[in-house]
Amino acid sequence: MTEILLIKAGELVLKGNNRRTFEQQLVRNLRRALEPLGQWQFSLQQSTLQVIPANSQMDMHRAAAHVGQVFGIAGYSRALRLPKSMDAILEHCAPYLDEQLVGVRTFKCEAKRADKTFPLNSPQICAKVGEQLLNAFPHLKVDVHKPDVTVNIEVRDQYAFIHANQIRGAGGLPVGTAGDAAILISGGIDSPVAAWMMARRGLRLAAIHFASPPYTSQRAEEKVHKLLGQVAGYSGRIRLFVVPFTAIQEQIKTRCPEELFTLIMRRVMMRVSEIIAQRENCGALITGESLGQVASQTLEALACTDAATTMPVFRPLIGMDKDEAVQIARQIGTFDISILPYEDCCTVFTPRRPRTRPKLSLVEQAESALDLDTMIDEAIEGTKYMAIDA
């Protein structure tokens, strides 16, 4: 008998001829996530992945927590793998489920018999296991509608498995199956959420942060490191590029109309980000913008921003309100970091009355006062790179 992690794949099971590619990437991502805890074997059978520890001393509790952050998993549970016999199932079900059933009042049994040669059918398996558990735990009662614990018995080709309530996984697609994209990351609430959401759709992330010392501090940059470290717990390693932006912002302030400061700044950010993204083989840019949230995020302003780049721009928060973004930020552990009081460059030289319905021709005319090519080349030349892990 061996305790393992039993993992149910998410929507990748709906893939056609390339499903195997998605499954292989999921295994690679699981191997990365579990590597700090020791050696593991992986066995994929009938849309279920078994993660088998090298020995019984390995920390299954921590392993389950790591698995819970891997995209591409619909559900997972710690499970006892044992010989495919009713005697073995009955002998081990109560001892193995002791911790899960102590302190609860109701349970029910569910059985899946993938091996149709097994002598008992699913209702018979449930009846025998239920009787065994009621004898072992007299305080329990059966509730088939809203049980505190659901006991699962699975009979497959080689083994039987016992496990209690399945835990919901992170869902989505395995990171790396959808290509690469670059997230423009600030220190706020929205951009880390956008990064997490697009990694959940299978994108491998690069991140681009714009720093404007002395207007922004080293602590603001360290805050971004922490935010990305939290997202990396789900996405894996993130490549971070820190772009020096002070000279560009000062030139915009000196030469451009105040009402267009933020919009022109965003357009320059997109140009710089596109260059970095192309060098990193990224196919798209990602931002945390939400329609109408601030003056630079009106329909007209977003259109002007997009006109500065030829790459697709993904905005996963575009239809969300702030409360929805905050809810996800709390869920993934970035909210408390985001609200630390270290300002990013987006708060530098904020116009008093920004133009909310700009025309592209007017913006391009204002930009003509800037030495854009030289500014962008110097910013790219001064960019720092680092790898961010969880």
Side-chain angles (χ1 to χ4, degrees):
M1 277 65 65
T2 305
E3 186 176 36
I4 67 168
L5 294 171
L6 204 59
I7 292 173
K8 308 291 185 181
E11 62 182 276
L12 61 89
V13 301
L14 303 176
K15 300 299 178 182
N17 295 333
N18 61 348
R19 173 176 165 178
R20 183 63 179 164
T21 301
F22 283 77
E23 292 173 338
Q24 290 172 341
Q25 186 64 50
L26 176 59
V27 170
R28 285 193 289 269
N29 294 348
L30 280 166
R31 197 182 302 277
R32 167 195 55 81
L34 293 173
E35 185 177 15
L37 304 181
Q39 297 298 314
W40 305 81
Q41 294 179 344
F42 301 86
S43 175
L44 182 63
Q45 297 176 353
Q46 300 170 316
S47 302
T48 301
L49 181 63
Q50 299 175 40
V51 181
I52 307 159
N55 58 69
S56 59
Q57 280 70 50
M58 296 175 72
D59 191 336
M60 298 299 290
H61 178 74
R62 287 184 62 197
H66 284 221
V67 165
Q69 292 187 308
V70 176
F71 293 130
I73 295 172
Y76 63 98
S77 55
R78 293 167 64 174
L80 186 66
R81 189 181 72 173
L82 63 167
K84 192 174 58 176
S85 77
M86 202 64 225
D87 288 342
I89 293 171
L90 294 176
E91 178 184 354
H92 294 283
C93 64
Y96 180 66
L97 297 170
D98 180 73
E99 289 187 11
Q100 292 95 320
L101 295 177
V102 169
V104 302
R105 295 184 301 169
T106 61
F107 80 105
K108 75 171 180 177
C109 291
E110 291 186 352
K112 293 181 180 180
R113 187 183 61 146
D115 179 4
K116 301 307 180 184
T117 66
F118 194 74
L120 278 69
N121 61 28
S122 294
Q124 291 170 332
I125 294 170
C126 286
K128 285 188 172 293
V129 171
E131 181 182 9
Q132 186 79 358
L133 294 176
L134 287 170
N135 290 333
F137 304 98
H139 68 283
L140 285 179
K141 292 184 179 180
V142 174
D143 183 344
V144 297
H145 300 293
K146 293 183 179 181
D148 296 326
V149 173
T150 298
V151 173
N152 297 277
I153 306 98
E154 300 187 33
V155 180
R156 296 180 174 268
D157 290 342
Q158 293 180 308
Y159 298 99
F161 302 89
I162 301 170
H163 56 98
N165 290 344
Q166 180 174 275
I167 303 169
R168 185 176 180 179
L173 295 172
V175 172
T177 56
D180 294 60
I183 173 74
L184 279 69
I185 184 83
S186 69
I189 293 170
D190 297 333
S191 54
V193 171
W196 179 87
M197 291 178 70
M198 296 313 300
R200 192 171 184 265
R201 298 312 305 159
L203 284 173
R204 188 182 295 111
L205 298 175
I208 302 168
H209 176 66
F210 294 86
S212 294
Y215 306 108
T216 61
S217 68
Q218 181 62 32
R219 287 187 175 182
E221 185 177 328
E222 292 169 357
K223 176 181 173 182
V224 168
H225 295 179
K226 291 179 181 178
L227 288 169
L228 291 176
Q230 196 67 30
V231 176
Y234 295 88
S235 69
R237 174 171 290 181
I238 299 174
R239 297 155 284 166
L240 171 62
F241 299 85
V242 179
V243 180
F245 208 55
T246 307
I248 292 175
Q249 286 191 286
E250 289 178 337
Q251 190 171 141
I252 292 172
K253 180 179 184 296
T254 302
R255 300 185 182 182
C256 297
E258 181 184 357
E259 63 182 6
L260 298 177
F261 281 177
T262 301
L263 184 54
I264 292 173
M265 177 192 71
R266 295 291 296 174
R267 283 170 54 85
V268 177
M269 285 179 172
M270 298 300 270
R271 291 187 176 98
V272 172
S273 298
E274 182 175 37
I275 294 170
I276 295 172
Q278 288 174 339
R279 292 181 180 180
E280 290 298 302
N281 297 314
C282 294
L285 300 175
I286 306 167
T287 78
E289 292 163 311
S290 174
L291 185 63
Q293 185 166 265
V294 294
S296 63
Q297 295 174 19
T298 64
L299 189 62
E300 295 85 353
L302 292 175
C304 287
T305 301
D306 283 358
T309 177
T310 61
M311 299 187 82
V313 181
F314 295 153
R315 295 182 171 95
L317 277 63
I318 194 68
M320 288 188 180
D321 61 32
K322 198 67 174 183
D323 287 343
E324 292 171 305
V326 167
Q327 182 178 353
I328 297 175
R330 291 186 186 279
Q331 173 191 333
I332 66 177
T334 58
F335 179 77
D336 288 339
I337 304 171
S338 292
I339 61 175
L340 292 173
Y342 310 129
E343 295 185 336
D344 57 58
C345 71
C346 295
T347 62
V348 177
F349 307 141
T350 303
R352 290 166 294 179
R353 294 183 179 85
R355 183 179 286 262
T356 58
R357 300 185 184 278
K359 292 184 178 180
L360 180 59
S361 58
L362 181 66
V363 175
E364 290 176 335
Q365 181 180 354
E367 281 181 348
S368 65
L370 302 172
D371 186 2
L372 280 176
D373 290 341
T374 300
M375 290 194 310
I376 290 172
D377 287 345
E378 290 176 351
I380 295 291
E381 181 67 25
T383 295
K384 299 185 299 183
Y385 165 79
M386 62 208 70
I388 304 294
D389 293 299

